[in-house]
PDB file of all heavy atoms in Angstrom:
ATOM      1  N   ARG A 464       2.353  -1.347  17.795  1.00 98.00           N
ATOM      2  CA  ARG A 464       1.790  -2.423  18.629  1.00 98.00           C
ATOM      3  C   ARG A 464       2.600  -3.710  18.472  1.00 98.00           C
ATOM      4  O   ARG A 464       2.758  -4.466  19.413  1.00 98.00           O
ATOM      5  CB  ARG A 464       0.331  -2.659  18.274  1.00 98.00           C
ATOM      6  CG  ARG A 464      -0.644  -1.774  19.013  1.00 98.00           C
ATOM      7  CD  ARG A 464      -0.331  -0.270  18.894  1.00 98.00           C
ATOM      8  NE  ARG A 464      -1.349   0.536  19.524  1.00 98.00           N
ATOM      9  CZ  ARG A 464      -2.458   0.928  18.916  1.00 98.00           C
ATOM     10  NH1 ARG A 464      -2.641   0.661  17.624  1.00 98.00           N
ATOM     11  NH2 ARG A 464      -3.352   1.621  19.581  1.00 98.00           N
ATOM     12  N   HIS A 554      -2.151   8.527  22.628  1.00 98.00           N
ATOM     13  CA  HIS A 554      -1.354   7.410  22.098  1.00 98.00           C
ATOM     14  C   HIS A 554       0.141   7.694  22.237  1.00 98.00           C
ATOM     15  O   HIS A 554       0.922   7.434  21.315  1.00 98.00           O
ATOM     16  CB  HIS A 554      -1.704   7.141  20.626  1.00 98.00           C
ATOM     17  CG  HIS A 554      -3.063   6.527  20.436  1.00 98.00           C
ATOM     18  ND1 HIS A 554      -3.303   5.179  20.591  1.00 98.00           N
ATOM     19  CD2 HIS A 554      -4.258   7.079  20.109  1.00 98.00           C
ATOM     20  CE1 HIS A 554      -4.587   4.935  20.359  1.00 98.00           C
ATOM     21  NE2 HIS A 554      -5.196   6.068  20.072  1.00 98.00           N
ATOM     22  N   VAL A 580      -6.823   1.994  25.099  1.00 97.00           N
ATOM     23  CA  VAL A 580      -6.545   3.239  24.368  1.00 97.00           C
ATOM     24  C   VAL A 580      -7.142   4.410  25.146  1.00 97.00           C
ATOM     25  O   VAL A 580      -8.002   4.222  26.005  1.00 97.00           O
ATOM     26  CB  VAL A 580      -7.131   3.225  22.936  1.00 97.00           C
ATOM     27  CG1 VAL A 580      -6.482   2.158  22.080  1.00 97.00           C
ATOM     28  CG2 VAL A 580      -8.648   3.061  22.967  1.00 97.00           C
ATOM     29  N   ASP A 617      -5.902  10.922  17.002  1.00 98.00           N
ATOM     30  CA  ASP A 617      -7.094  10.126  17.311  1.00 98.00           C
ATOM     31  C   ASP A 617      -7.217   9.826  18.799  1.00 98.00           C
ATOM     32  O   ASP A 617      -6.218   9.830  19.525  1.00 98.00           O
ATOM     33  CB  ASP A 617      -7.061   8.796  16.532  1.00 98.00           C
ATOM     34  CG  ASP A 617      -5.819   7.978  16.875  1.00 98.00           C
ATOM     35  OD1 ASP A 617      -4.711   8.568  16.882  1.00 98.00           O
ATOM     36  OD2 ASP A 617      -5.943   6.771  17.142  1.00 98.00           O
ATOM     37  N   GLU A 618      -8.433   9.552  19.196  1.00 97.00           N
ATOM     38  CA  GLU A 618      -8.741   9.007  20.527  1.00 97.00           C
ATOM     39  C   GLU A 618      -7.997   9.715  21.663  1.00 97.00           C
ATOM     40  O   GLU A 618      -7.494   9.064  22.571  1.00 97.00           O
ATOM     41  CB  GLU A 618      -8.413   7.507  20.556  1.00 97.00           C
ATOM     42  CG  GLU A 618      -9.251   6.702  19.583  1.00 97.00           C
ATOM     43  CD  GLU A 618      -8.865   5.218  19.542  1.00 97.00           C
ATOM     44  OE1 GLU A 618      -7.656   4.898  19.548  1.00 97.00           O
ATOM     45  OE2 GLU A 618      -9.764   4.389  19.492  1.00 97.00           O
ATOM     46  N   TRP A 648      -5.852  11.620  11.701  1.00 98.00           N
ATOM     47  CA  TRP A 648      -7.145  10.937  11.827  1.00 98.00           C
ATOM     48  C   TRP A 648      -8.240  11.997  11.920  1.00 98.00           C
ATOM     49  O   TRP A 648      -7.944  13.154  12.245  1.00 98.00           O
ATOM     50  CB  TRP A 648      -7.131  10.001  13.036  1.00 98.00           C
ATOM     51  CG  TRP A 648      -6.081   8.926  12.884  1.00 98.00           C
ATOM     52  CD1 TRP A 648      -4.897   8.848  13.542  1.00 98.00           C
ATOM     53  CD2 TRP A 648      -6.113   7.796  11.981  1.00 98.00           C
ATOM     54  NE1 TRP A 648      -4.186   7.746  13.104  1.00 98.00           N
ATOM     55  CE2 TRP A 648      -4.922   7.080  12.146  1.00 98.00           C
ATOM     56  CE3 TRP A 648      -7.037   7.339  11.031  1.00 98.00           C
ATOM     57  CZ2 TRP A 648      -4.611   5.930  11.431  1.00 98.00           C
ATOM     58  CZ3 TRP A 648      -6.733   6.188  10.309  1.00 98.00           C
ATOM     59  CH2 TRP A 648      -5.539   5.494  10.514  1.00 98.00           C
ATOM     60  N   TRP A 665     -12.209   7.477   9.857  1.00 98.00           N
ATOM     61  CA  TRP A 665     -12.081   6.069  10.254  1.00 98.00           C
ATOM     62  C   TRP A 665     -13.306   5.530  10.974  1.00 98.00           C
ATOM     63  O   TRP A 665     -13.304   4.399  11.455  1.00 98.00           O
ATOM     64  CB  TRP A 665     -10.823   5.844  11.088  1.00 98.00           C
ATOM     65  CG  TRP A 665     -10.767   6.567  12.404  1.00 98.00           C
ATOM     66  CD1 TRP A 665     -10.343   7.844  12.619  1.00 98.00           C
ATOM     67  CD2 TRP A 665     -11.115   6.053  13.695  1.00 98.00           C
ATOM     68  NE1 TRP A 665     -10.416   8.168  13.951  1.00 98.00           N
ATOM     69  CE2 TRP A 665     -10.883   7.084  14.640  1.00 98.00           C
ATOM     70  CE3 TRP A 665     -11.595   4.827  14.150  1.00 98.00           C
ATOM     71  CZ2 TRP A 665     -11.122   6.933  16.010  1.00 98.00           C
ATOM     72  CZ3 TRP A 665     -11.835   4.666  15.528  1.00 98.00           C
ATOM     73  CH2 TRP A 665     -11.597   5.716  16.440  1.00 98.00           C
ATOM     74  N   TYR A 694     -10.861  -1.718   7.464  1.00 98.00           N
ATOM     75  CA  TYR A 694      -9.907  -2.105   8.501  1.00 98.00           C
ATOM     76  C   TYR A 694      -9.509  -3.565   8.335  1.00 98.00           C
ATOM     77  O   TYR A 694     -10.304  -4.469   8.586  1.00 98.00           O
ATOM     78  CB  TYR A 694     -10.501  -1.858   9.899  1.00 98.00           C
ATOM     79  CG  TYR A 694     -10.154  -0.501  10.457  1.00 98.00           C
ATOM     80  CD1 TYR A 694     -10.091   0.603   9.610  1.00 98.00           C
ATOM     81  CD2 TYR A 694      -9.877  -0.311  11.801  1.00 98.00           C
ATOM     82  CE1 TYR A 694      -9.753   1.858  10.096  1.00 98.00           C
ATOM     83  CE2 TYR A 694      -9.549   0.948  12.293  1.00 98.00           C
ATOM     84  CZ  TYR A 694      -9.485   2.019  11.440  1.00 98.00           C
ATOM     85  OH  TYR A 694      -9.156   3.255  11.917  1.00 98.00           O
ATOM     86  N   ASP A 696      -7.615  -5.227  10.121  1.00 98.00           N
ATOM     87  CA  ASP A 696      -7.398  -5.960  11.383  1.00 98.00           C
ATOM     88  C   ASP A 696      -8.706  -6.471  11.981  1.00 98.00           C
ATOM     89  O   ASP A 696      -8.688  -7.036  13.088  1.00 98.00           O
ATOM     90  CB  ASP A 696      -6.649  -5.096  12.401  1.00 98.00           C
ATOM     91  CG  ASP A 696      -7.404  -3.834  12.775  1.00 98.00           C
ATOM     92  OD1 ASP A 696      -7.904  -3.155  11.857  1.00 98.00           O
ATOM     93  OD2 ASP A 696      -7.504  -3.525  13.976  1.00 98.00           O
ATOM     94  N   MET A 697      -9.824  -6.293  11.284  1.00 98.00           N
ATOM     95  CA  MET A 697     -11.066  -6.894  11.781  1.00 98.00           C
ATOM     96  C   MET A 697     -11.099  -8.379  11.406  1.00 98.00           C
ATOM     97  O   MET A 697     -10.638  -8.760  10.321  1.00 98.00           O
ATOM     98  CB  MET A 697     -12.286  -6.186  11.171  1.00 98.00           C
ATOM     99  CG  MET A 697     -12.481  -4.788  11.698  1.00 98.00           C
ATOM    100  SD  MET A 697     -12.678  -4.750  13.500  1.00 98.00           S
ATOM    101  CE  MET A 697     -11.383  -3.603  13.951  1.00 98.00           C
ATOM    102  N   LEU A 707      -9.394  -8.163  15.524  1.00 98.00           N
ATOM    103  CA  LEU A 707     -10.288  -7.588  16.530  1.00 98.00           C
ATOM    104  C   LEU A 707     -11.719  -7.631  15.989  1.00 98.00           C
ATOM    105  O   LEU A 707     -11.947  -8.024  14.847  1.00 98.00           O
ATOM    106  CB  LEU A 707      -9.869  -6.142  16.823  1.00 98.00           C
ATOM    107  CG  LEU A 707      -8.411  -5.943  17.245  1.00 98.00           C
ATOM    108  CD1 LEU A 707      -8.094  -4.455  17.378  1.00 98.00           C
ATOM    109  CD2 LEU A 707      -8.118  -6.660  18.562  1.00 98.00           C
ATOM    110  N   TRP A 709     -14.273  -4.934  17.001  1.00 97.00           N
ATOM    111  CA  TRP A 709     -15.118  -3.774  17.315  1.00 97.00           C
ATOM    112  C   TRP A 709     -15.841  -3.165  16.108  1.00 97.00           C
ATOM    113  O   TRP A 709     -16.926  -2.615  16.279  1.00 97.00           O
ATOM    114  CB  TRP A 709     -14.343  -2.719  18.107  1.00 97.00           C
ATOM    115  CG  TRP A 709     -13.232  -2.021  17.352  1.00 97.00           C
ATOM    116  CD1 TRP A 709     -11.911  -2.370  17.323  1.00 97.00           C
ATOM    117  CD2 TRP A 709     -13.345  -0.857  16.524  1.00 97.00           C
ATOM    118  NE1 TRP A 709     -11.204  -1.514  16.525  1.00 97.00           N
ATOM    119  CE2 TRP A 709     -12.052  -0.566  16.030  1.00 97.00           C
ATOM    120  CE3 TRP A 709     -14.408  -0.028  16.148  1.00 97.00           C
ATOM    121  CZ2 TRP A 709     -11.804   0.505  15.174  1.00 97.00           C
ATOM    122  CZ3 TRP A 709     -14.149   1.045  15.298  1.00 97.00           C
ATOM    123  CH2 TRP A 709     -12.854   1.301  14.816  1.00 97.00           C
ATOM    124  N   TRP A 743      -3.996  -2.571  11.904  1.00 98.00           N
ATOM    125  CA  TRP A 743      -3.479  -2.371  13.267  1.00 98.00           C
ATOM    126  C   TRP A 743      -2.926  -3.698  13.752  1.00 98.00           C
ATOM    127  O   TRP A 743      -3.463  -4.758  13.429  1.00 98.00           O
ATOM    128  CB  TRP A 743      -4.597  -1.849  14.171  1.00 98.00           C
ATOM    129  CG  TRP A 743      -5.153  -0.541  13.698  1.00 98.00           C
ATOM    130  CD1 TRP A 743      -6.262  -0.350  12.911  1.00 98.00           C
ATOM    131  CD2 TRP A 743      -4.610   0.760  13.926  1.00 98.00           C
ATOM    132  NE1 TRP A 743      -6.445   0.990  12.657  1.00 98.00           N
ATOM    133  CE2 TRP A 743      -5.447   1.694  13.271  1.00 98.00           C
ATOM    134  CE3 TRP A 743      -3.495   1.235  14.633  1.00 98.00           C
ATOM    135  CZ2 TRP A 743      -5.204   3.068  13.298  1.00 98.00           C
ATOM    136  CZ3 TRP A 743      -3.264   2.611  14.653  1.00 98.00           C
ATOM    137  CH2 TRP A 743      -4.106   3.513  13.996  1.00 98.00           C
ATOM    138  N   GLU A 745      -2.344  -5.113  16.913  1.00 98.00           N
ATOM    139  CA  GLU A 745      -2.494  -5.670  18.267  1.00 98.00           C
ATOM    140  C   GLU A 745      -2.357  -7.189  18.279  1.00 98.00           C
ATOM    141  O   GLU A 745      -1.765  -7.762  19.194  1.00 98.00           O
ATOM    142  CB  GLU A 745      -3.858  -5.288  18.857  1.00 98.00           C
ATOM    143  CG  GLU A 745      -3.958  -3.848  19.362  1.00 98.00           C
ATOM    144  CD  GLU A 745      -4.483  -2.898  18.293  1.00 98.00           C
ATOM    145  OE1 GLU A 745      -4.359  -3.225  17.092  1.00 98.00           O
ATOM    146  OE2 GLU A 745      -4.997  -1.828  18.667  1.00 98.00           O
TER     147      GLU A 745
HETATM  148  C1  LIG B 237      -8.689   2.362  16.811  1.00 68.15           C
HETATM  149  S1  LIG B 237      -8.671   3.776  14.333  1.00 68.15           S
HETATM  150  C2  LIG B 237      -7.484   3.035  16.775  1.00 68.15           C
HETATM  151  C3  LIG B 237      -6.252   2.296  17.032  1.00 68.15           C
HETATM  152  C4  LIG B 237      -6.501   0.835  17.277  1.00 68.15           C
HETATM  153  C5  LIG B 237      -7.575   0.345  16.348  1.00 68.15           C
HETATM  154  C6  LIG B 237      -7.811  -1.128  16.404  1.00 68.15           C
HETATM  155  C7  LIG B 237      -7.775   4.711  15.149  1.00 68.15           C
HETATM  156  C8  LIG B 237      -7.477   5.982  14.548  1.00 68.15           C
HETATM  157  N1  LIG B 237      -7.343   4.329  16.360  1.00 68.15           N
HETATM  158  O1  LIG B 237      -5.561   2.883  18.103  1.00 68.15           O
HETATM  159  O2  LIG B 237      -5.325   0.147  17.070  1.00 68.15           O
HETATM  160  O3  LIG B 237      -8.764   1.024  16.653  1.00 68.15           O
HETATM  161  O4  LIG B 237      -8.680  -1.543  15.404  1.00 68.15           O
END
Side-chain angles (χ1 to χ4, degrees):
R464 273 53 175 274
H554 289 278
V580 296
D617 59 313
E618 297 176 318
W648 298 106
W665 63 275
Y694 268 37
D696 61 314
M697 290 302 125
L707 305 175
W709 68 267
W743 300 95
E745 283 92 337

